[in-house]
Amino acid sequence: MFTKSPNPTGKTFPTYDPRTGDVIAHVAEGDAEDINRAVSAARKAFDEGPWPKMTAYERSRVLFRFADLIDQHTEELATLETWDNGKPYEQAAKIELPMISRLIRYYAGWADKIHGLTVPADSPHLVQTIHEPIGVAGQIIPWNFPLLMFAWKVGPALACGNTVVIKTAEQTPLSALHAAKLLHEAGLPPGVLNVVSGFGPTAGAALATHMQVDKLAFTGSTETGKIVLELAAKSNLKPVTLELGGKSPFIVCKDADVDKTVELAHFALFFNQGQCCCAGSRTYVHESVYDEFLEKAKARALKRSVGDPFVAGIEQGPQIDSEQFEKIMRYIRSGVESGATLETGGERIGDKGFYIQPTVFSNVKEDMLIAKDEIFGPVQSILKFKELEGDGNNTFPNCRDINEVIRRANTTSYGLAAGVFTQDIDTANTLTRALKVGTVWINCYDVFDAAIPFGGYKMSGQGREKGIHCLSNYLQVKAVVTPLKDPAWI
Ligand code: NAI
Ligand code: MG
């Protein structure tokens, strides 16, 4: 599979099976010259057509056909996803692939509903706004949800009539190549979508720097987000949207349903091997339910089934690669050294692949690294919150416990998401408005409909993906002004 390299240098790189560390395939390694070629193809397809010159309805039909093909090819796509990434096959096939075709249909539905306004002027002028595609969109995606991230990026860009150069993550190049083939089968004209497999500092940086790329969308670490933003600014000032890391608080109030909340907190952190930007990675529990919660959270982690992700019923597969595996193990050691209590887990499983025991820390404090950094692994950190004693600066004097947890939850440079668990509407409303995050889930977590916008405050990013809000990332608004001669009205 994919062993022939069509790229000018003839270079390839291996992609690995995280279950064993064995090579699955050698993939063409795109570098700056490949990015040049891909951008030229995308430029030509945008400037000369036919894609932007097709009717919006015709474009929507291509995307609808693509969604149908995704549904028909779920098994192959989910297999590639699990093989390359290590996520449970059932998760890929039953949760992610249906989300992907749904999202493509959502944006297919938007394609022919994007239009401007006729704007009243103060003088006799006809003023119109036209929403135009922005041009060539450059997109860089990570490895934790390879196909879902492909869909989040490509779906809205194509629906708006843009052409695309997308660089996949070096850890997971396979599934997007297959999806691109299906898009062409669906009738996407040549040059409209260009997938480049390759590494960040070479292919990724070339895309971010390219003078012929009109817009850049990036998902990945905050560190790399800063680099691509700088590259975009230093080249042609292309607008950039960033979806970056997180350290999302999961807040369990004193009146929360403990059993349900334990299960949701477990899901919020351990889903996808803990490799989620919005993982609920700081579990704040009110002192009155803390002991019960902790005991149950530990029992749930001990019950989690870890193993070969192709086996039915397995909840957790291996981490993506040795680099992430080592990083997570370093954080576990740092948690122990900084004085947090290791309740369960903390060890490697087996001697092959990158499996880690579901790990729970209690007595976690905000100044510990495990409470500050994005661990991106199966490590739950539980923190206790309680009533503040005599704090005169309280904003909400009747709920001092809530004040404390608001202050602590916001003590982070990230601001992606939060979970709030309470039966009290006032507590929920107070927390919702005070938390500096892009998404608040109340008594639920990780609800990801295509129509719900997603993105970060602070260093979790810029702009929103999904929903109606994402369309503006891929459109220019042009004002057209014409004098009106003897108008019947203005
Ligand atoms: P990364 O941010 O370096 O990689 C994401 C994408 O950016 C990949 O396609 C990569 O090739 C590309 N890239 C890397 N360096 C680049 C550069 N100089 N110019 C242009 N593109 C570049 O993330 P990485 O190294 O895979 O993981 C490191 C940490 O990042 C993880 O441990 C996790 O904490 C976080 N992360 C967050 C994700 C999210 O969904 N927000 C996804 C993946 C990682
Ligand atoms: Mg990196």
Side-chain angles (χ1 to χ4, degrees):
M1 185 192 294
F2 308 120
T3 46
K4 279 237 164 72
S5 169
N7 53 330
T9 62
K11 279 192 297 188
T12 63
F13 67 99
T15 187
Y16 299 98
D17 179 344
R19 294 175 302 168
T20 55
D22 295 343
V23 174
I24 303 173
H26 295 272
V27 180
E29 182 187 333
D31 61 14
E33 185 44 34
D34 298 272
I35 291 289
N36 276 337
R37 287 181 172 203
V39 172
S40 301
R43 191 76 264 164
K44 188 162 181 282
F46 186 78
D47 294 342
E48 295 170 22
W51 184 244
K53 298 191 173 102
M54 279 161 69
T55 66
Y57 179 52
E58 284 174 303
R59 285 202 305 270
S60 84
R61 294 190 65 188
V62 171
L63 291 174
F64 277 120
R65 281 196 295 270
F66 176 46
D68 291 343
L69 286 170
I70 292 171
D71 288 344
Q72 287 159 27
H73 292 266
T74 290
E75 213 178 301
E76 291 127 71
L77 289 165
T79 302
L80 283 174
E81 203 73 331
T82 293
W83 200 6
D84 218 6
N85 169 283
K87 66 179 66 215
Y89 176 80
E90 286 176 343
Q91 175 190 319
K94 294 188 186 153
I95 302 177
E96 294 181 27
L97 265 299
M99 278 171 86
I100 290 164
S101 55
R102 175 67 184 96
L103 180 124
I104 295 296
R105 288 192 185 98
Y106 174 84
Y107 282 110
W110 267 117
D112 59 355
K113 292 162 199 75
I114 294 165
H115 48 70
L117 297 169
T118 305
V119 181
D122 287 347
S123 51
H125 286 94
L126 171 62
V127 181
Q128 294 165 298
T129 56
I130 300 177
H131 292 231
E132 295 183 352
I134 204 163
V136 176
Q139 306 181 320
I140 299 174
I141 54 173
W143 44 263
N144 51 342
F145 294 94
L147 259 189
L148 191 65
M149 292 300 102
F150 175 84
W152 283 23
K153 295 280 181 291
V154 163
L158 294 181
C160 294
N162 299 277
T163 61
V164 169
V165 178
I166 184 163
K167 192 204 80 67
T168 49
E170 57 272 27
Q171 296 87 346
T172 51
L174 299 182
S175 54
L177 294 172
H178 194 38
K181 185 169 156 273
L182 297 180
L183 247 171
H184 285 271
E185 252 178 77
L188 194 75
V192 176
L193 172 73
N194 304 271
V195 179
V196 180
S197 318
F199 292 85
T202 48
L207 189 58
T209 322
H210 209 289
M211 296 300 284
Q212 292 297 317
V213 171
D214 301 307
K215 188 258 169 325
L216 189 73
F218 172 84
T219 299
S221 63
T222 295
E223 196 187 359
T224 305
K226 287 182 181 176
I227 296 174
V228 299
L229 187 59
E230 192 180 352
L231 294 176
K234 280 186 172 160
S235 51
N236 62 346
L237 271 180
K238 54 182 80 62
V240 181
T241 39
L242 300 171
E243 203 268 272
L244 309 175
K247 195 73 191 174
S248 299
F250 183 109
I251 300 172
V252 185
C253 298
K254 56 188 165 198
D255 62 345
D257 176 330
V258 173
D259 289 326
K260 271 194 200 155
T261 310
V262 164
E263 188 56 37
L264 277 167
H266 180 84
F267 167 66
L269 186 283
F270 291 98
F271 178 66
N272 207 44
Q273 291 69 245
Q275 301 165 151
C276 290
C277 50
C278 57
S281 51
R282 288 181 296 150
T283 310
Y284 284 98
V285 184
H286 192 274
E287 61 177 350
S288 62
V289 288
Y290 182 85
D291 292 341
E292 182 191 354
F293 186 96
L294 182 57
E295 192 189 315
K296 290 181 170 169
K298 180 177 158 181
R300 180 62 185 89
L302 278 163
K303 249 182 43 197
R304 187 169 185 78
S305 57
V306 186
D308 186 329
F310 279 105
V311 172
I314 284 293
E315 293 175 293
Q316 183 177 318
Q319 306 309 126
I320 185 74
D321 62 10
S322 58
E323 201 178 309
Q324 289 296 312
F325 174 88
E326 294 301 340
K327 172 182 161 183
I328 296 160
M329 295 310 280
R330 276 198 303 279
Y331 276 116
I332 292 173
R333 284 195 294 277
S334 129
V336 172
E337 282 156 17
S338 60
T341 309
L342 180 63
E343 296 283 348
T344 181
E347 302 284 339
R348 176 181 202 159
I349 300 178
D351 52 9
K352 244 188 0 185
F354 311 115
Y355 294 92
I356 297 180
Q357 288 176 341
T359 299
V360 177
F361 278 107
S362 64
N363 289 317
V364 178
K365 304 280 182 291
E366 272 82 9
D367 59 356
M368 297 176 182
L369 270 190
I370 58 166
K372 283 189 190 167
D373 292 2
E374 187 173 52
I375 302 176
F376 235 58
V379 183
Q380 185 174 32
S381 293
I382 301 183
L383 303 89
K384 188 192 284 188
F385 72 97
K386 56 183 188 337
E387 305 258 338
L388 283 179
E389 301 291 338
D391 182 348
N393 296 323
N394 283 340
T395 325
F396 314 105
N398 297 328
C399 41
R400 293 193 305 223
D401 48 350
I402 297 304
N403 274 332
E404 179 192 332
V405 81
I406 289 169
R407 182 180 54 74
R408 291 171 61 188
N410 282 335
T411 311
T412 166
S413 55
Y414 292 118
L416 198 52
V420 168
F421 299 83
T422 177
Q423 302 304 316
D424 184 79
I425 187 84
D426 296 327
T427 304
N429 285 336
T430 298
L431 282 166
T432 302
R433 294 194 175 223
L435 293 167
K436 304 277 182 245
V437 298
T439 300
V440 181
W441 285 294
I442 298 172
N443 296 330
C444 61
Y445 209 85
D446 278 352
V447 176
F448 265 109
D449 293 14
I452 303 174
F454 184 74
Y457 281 39
K458 300 196 269 184
M459 282 165 72
S460 287
Q462 301 184 0
R464 294 292 176 270
E465 296 198 281
K466 300 198 288 128
I468 189 171
H469 301 276
C470 190
L471 297 170
S472 59
N473 299 337
Y474 292 100
L475 293 167
Q476 285 280 20
V477 180
K478 180 178 281 176
V480 181
V481 184
T482 319
L484 285 167
K485 198 158 180 254
D486 298 328
W489 52 272
I490 295 177

